[in-house]
Amino acid sequence: EEKIPRLKEMLMSFLPGLQNAVRITLQTFFEDYIQDVVDHIGYEEQVVFPYVSNLLKHTVDGGDLKQQQVYGIKIFEERHTNIEDKLSDLKNLMVKYLPPTATHRFLRIQIICELLDLEQDLINHARLEDQILIPLVEQLEKQYYS
């Protein structure tokens, strides 16, 4: 909600100085990437987190989960994508393939710094899911679905 709009605003300021083909490629890549991030986060908020919340709720009040076992954390794990990998491609595109210009030099550096910061946030996000969320939910599922 904060970083992506700021990054988009910076990129929109950067694009007009580029050749048409490069501008279209960069803008399309960025918009596709942002949609991937929005879809990823949306799936977690609409499917995964409610599932985990319901699982935790039933562990507290002793409700019957067996009838609700339509979804499982393995489904999340199988469709879980590393959204930070594509961000690395965007960063590399900015660094390696865009011609340096004096007028865009500072803005380009700011965009790359924002991309690096976002990349680190997404790496931490994935690490939390992979190393904490998934193993804990697997334990809860074994306990209550076995």
Side-chain angles (χ1 to χ4, degrees), residues 8 12-13 21 34 43 56-57 63 75-76 90 109 117 121 134 137 143:
K8 184 174 183 174
M12 291 304 125
S13 296
I34 295 308
Y43 175 76
L56 287 170
K57 178 181 173 243
I75 294 170
F76 168 69
L90 180 59
I109 291 168
D117 191 48
D121 286 349
I134 292 171
V137 174
Q143 182 179 355

Side-chain angles (χ1 to χ4, degrees), residues 70-97:
V70 177
Y71 185 80
I73 202 67
K74 286 290 182 198
I75 294 170
F76 168 69
E77 197 171 16
E78 288 169 3
R79 65 171 283 171
H80 190 233
T81 58
N82 289 329
I83 53 177
E84 66 275 4
D85 291 344
K86 194 172 177 184
L87 183 60
S88 183
D89 294 340
L90 180 59
K91 183 182 63 186
N92 288 333
L93 203 132
M94 292 287 297
V95 172
K96 294 180 181 178
Y97 300 107

Side-chain angles (χ1 to χ4, degrees), residues 51 54 58 64-71 145:
Y51 168 75
N54 192 36
H58 281 70
D64 183 18
L65 289 172
K66 293 187 189 318
Q67 64 187 5
Q68 298 179 25
Q69 191 181 4
V70 177
Y71 185 80
Y145 292 144

